[in-house]
Amino acid sequence: MMGERTVAQEALFYSFNLERHVPADHLLRSIDRFVDLSGIREHLRPFYSATGRPSVDPELMIRMLIIGYCMGIRSERRLCEEVHVNLAYRWFCRLGLEGDVPDHSTFSKNRHGRFRDSDVLRQLFETTVARCIAEGLVGGEGFAVDGSLVRADVNRQHAVDQADGLPDPATSHAVREYLAVLDDAAFGGATPVPPKQLAVADPAARWTAASRERAFFAYATNYLIDLQHAVIVDVEATTAIRQAEVTAQRRMIDRTQERFGLWPERLVGDAGYGDARNLSWLVEERGIEPHIPVFDKSARRDDTFERSAFSYDHDDDSYICPAGKRLRQRQKVYREDRPFVDENGMLRYRASKLDCDACALKPRCCPTQPARKILRSVHEGARDLARDIATTDAYLVSRRQRKKVEMLFAHLKRILRMDRLRLRGPNGARDEFLLAATAQNLRKMAKLIPMQATQAPA
């Protein structure tokens, strides 16, 4: 016979064990082993008043943010709804069945206030890095660095051509943040070139056409990763231009050494990090081998001799041309000393006009100039070292390993769904990038370190 559903009746008492209803292989159960928030309250205590009504537990909000970024829940309103109905989320947040979920507006108030002022999200991220080091997931011998563009939360149609068209700083928080970072080497001070457009809602976001897509406003997230297991050891938010990414690389290397005592033997990066000054900083100031392509514009398209056809004599400080003649910085003695180095850090080596006039190779060397000239950077020694490294087998291995950081960016945008920011301004970008990197490190540990049988739910 056909069965009929009985109407559920409210019971007077329930016996419900939340621990038993979270699967043993659930991602949050594995991540929970590595979440240490014991120091959060003490870190935030100076930012709370000693009187008044008790606030929402900051550890609860941090755990909810970890859930959001680990599970790709970008909306805070939706995050609160999911924590309310999802048993695993409640278990991770230590809420139980009767615990109240805070309102979504609470996150905005704390993010723009206590969390940002105390830099607690940076501390949270560094806690995960320290745990990765303790678990043996960080080798510390080789690092890789790269940056990726993330769209800002602005409408490209709402933009102005000049700063005069922005709202009054007295009434616009976004404009005040923009003015505050104008001299920061990672944002406004990265380049003297003014942007083509400024977003009214977020002027610090950079108008960029660096990708194949239509131009858009963006920030850049920069990762410094350890090559052993692709653990993110540092993250930095910058404006969306290459000069700022080089600045971020230096900051991350120094901060990693200061916080964790990690000093890599080699650094892997793309050609954007291969300018002469940066290579010199790595080699001469930090003692790091640059496994980086040299940024070189000496190639010629008119079939004349390139700079590589001229050999440099270190002992004599001169270049030798294909005809065997020497190019020197000075062919005669001046009464007054003249600077050897120009404002761009370049040395000029010139051939004698008499040698060039009598040379049979002049049509292939300098057909439109009276004598050949060679430019050499004051940091050419570091560039030569990078070129020598590029001929080794270790360099080929490093080029393959560099894909690990690109895979992290793909994971960031496709799995964690951070292809567009939700917070605005440089501080908002920092907060989002720190939380995303924290989530990626936690997921990395959960994947690489298996759960023990004794940790399974009873």
Side-chain angles (χ1 to χ4, degrees):
M1 60 183 294
M2 182 181 295
E4 182 177 352
R5 181 177 60 89
T6 58
V7 179
Q9 297 182 356
E10 293 291 336
L12 294 177
F13 302 99
Y14 286 97
S15 176
F16 188 90
N17 188 345
L18 185 60
E19 178 78 20
R20 294 179 55 191
H21 287 76
V22 180
D25 59 350
H26 196 283
L27 176 62
L28 289 180
R29 184 178 287 278
S30 184
I31 285 177
D32 185 65
R33 299 173 292 159
F34 310 110
V35 177
D36 182 11
L37 303 179
S38 57
I40 291 294
R41 287 191 180 87
E42 289 302 319
H43 184 78
L44 289 172
R45 192 175 299 279
F47 299 89
Y48 284 86
S49 174
T51 61
R53 188 177 64 180
S55 67
V56 176
D57 186 357
E59 180 177 341
L60 170 60
M61 288 187 286
I62 294 294
R63 284 185 174 273
M64 289 180 65
L65 287 174
I66 290 175
I67 291 174
Y69 281 84
C70 283
M71 311 306 289
I73 305 174
R74 303 300 315 286
S75 168
E76 292 169 354
R77 186 186 298 269
R78 180 168 169 256
L79 174 61
C80 293
E81 295 173 353
E82 291 292 331
V83 172
H84 180 70
V85 301
N86 191 298
L87 294 180
Y89 295 175
R90 280 185 168 273
W91 173 86
F92 185 81
C93 293
R94 311 295 192 262
L95 278 175
L97 290 177
E98 301 296 332
D100 294 329
V101 178
D103 188 78
H104 64 88
S105 61
T106 307
F107 288 99
S108 299
K109 185 174 181 61
N110 281 275
R111 271 184 164 180
H112 293 88
R114 300 182 183 95
F115 288 0
R116 191 165 293 172
D117 295 339
S118 64
D119 205 17
V120 69
L121 299 182
R122 165 65 65 177
Q123 185 194 30
L124 176 66
F125 166 74
E126 292 180 351
T127 300
T128 66
V129 178
R131 185 60 184 271
C132 288
I133 296 173
E135 296 290 345
L137 301 182
V138 177
E141 298 179 356
F143 285 176
V145 64
D146 204 358
S148 182
L149 301 181
V150 181
R151 291 177 180 271
D153 185 30
V154 295
N155 189 335
R156 65 192 307 274
Q157 303 298 330
H158 298 164
V160 295
D161 295 333
Q162 296 181 354
D164 296 340
L166 294 175
D168 186 358
T171 60
S172 175
H173 177 76
V175 176
R176 290 197 299 271
E177 272 201 71
Y178 165 67
L179 297 176
V181 298
L182 280 179
D183 296 329
D184 190 342
F187 290 98
T191 173
V193 179
K196 292 183 178 180
Q197 290 185 327
L198 294 171
V200 175
D202 189 359
R206 188 80 180 189
W207 178 256
T208 178
S211 66
R212 297 180 181 178
E213 306 176 36
R214 192 178 180 186
F216 57 94
F217 290 101
Y219 286 95
T221 177
N222 300 269
Y223 280 1
L224 183 69
I225 73 165
D226 182 81
L227 290 175
Q228 180 172 321
H229 290 290
V231 171
I232 305 170
V233 295
D234 207 346
V235 56
E236 182 84 0
T238 65
T239 189
I241 57 175
R242 273 295 183 185
Q243 296 93 315
E245 293 180 11
V246 174
T247 299
Q249 166 231 281
R250 298 186 183 186
R251 289 181 179 180
M252 291 189 293
I253 289 177
D254 286 344
R255 187 163 50 212
T256 303
Q257 196 277 333
E258 177 184 352
R259 304 286 175 85
F260 307 109
L262 298 176
W263 202 265
E265 297 177 1
R266 69 184 190 279
L267 179 70
V268 183
D270 58 26
Y273 302 92
D275 65 279
R277 286 187 176 89
N278 189 51
L279 293 175
S280 175
W281 183 85
L282 290 171
V283 174
E284 299 173 6
E285 297 187 32
R286 296 298 182 268
I288 301 173
E289 291 185 0
H291 288 229
I292 301 172
V294 177
F295 186 76
D296 194 351
K297 290 186 176 181
S298 64
R300 294 195 167 196
R301 300 180 181 179
D302 56 359
D303 294 331
T304 58
F305 292 133
E306 298 181 356
R307 187 175 62 182
S308 58
F310 296 74
S311 59
Y312 180 69
D313 187 344
H314 288 269
D315 296 332
D316 189 58
D317 189 21
S318 63
Y319 277 93
I320 303 175
C321 74
K325 304 297 183 180
R326 291 188 178 269
L327 288 74
R328 304 182 184 278
Q329 295 189 55
R330 294 182 179 180
Q331 296 294 339
K332 59 181 180 180
V333 178
Y334 293 90
R335 292 181 180 179
E336 297 180 0
D337 289 338
R338 298 187 178 184
F340 284 93
V341 184
D342 63 13
E343 63 277 6
N344 297 319
M346 303 301 291
L347 303 168
R348 284 174 169 77
Y349 293 78
R350 295 178 176 87
S352 170
K353 184 176 181 301
L354 296 177
D355 291 339
C356 290
D357 287 340
C359 183
L361 298 178
K362 189 176 190 303
R364 292 193 57 197
C365 185
C366 52
T368 61
Q369 299 176 354
R372 182 60 187 263
K373 177 177 62 177
I374 295 291
L375 295 179
R376 178 182 175 86
S377 170
V378 293
H379 308 299
E380 197 66 27
R383 286 158 57 91
D384 289 340
L385 175 61
R387 293 189 185 99
D388 293 340
I389 292 175
T391 62
T392 64
D393 293 337
Y395 180 82
L396 298 178
V397 175
S398 296
R399 302 316 298 166
R400 290 194 296 270
Q401 291 178 326
R402 195 182 72 85
K403 296 179 181 179
K404 293 182 178 181
V405 66
E406 296 175 351
M407 293 172 63
L408 282 171
F409 289 138
H411 180 270
L412 174 73
K413 296 177 181 180
R414 295 182 182 180
I415 306 302
L416 303 188
R417 302 177 184 177
M418 188 178 281
D419 55 349
R420 183 186 180 98
L421 294 174
R422 292 189 60 84
L423 303 183
R424 292 174 176 173
N427 290 325
R430 290 190 188 102
D431 292 350
E432 291 224 59
F433 294 156
L434 281 168
L435 282 168
T438 300
Q440 288 183 293
N441 278 349
L442 289 173
R443 290 175 65 110
K444 177 74 67 175
M445 286 189 283
K447 177 182 178 181
L448 296 179
I449 304 176
M451 291 277 291
Q452 300 294 328
T454 56
Q455 293 177 323

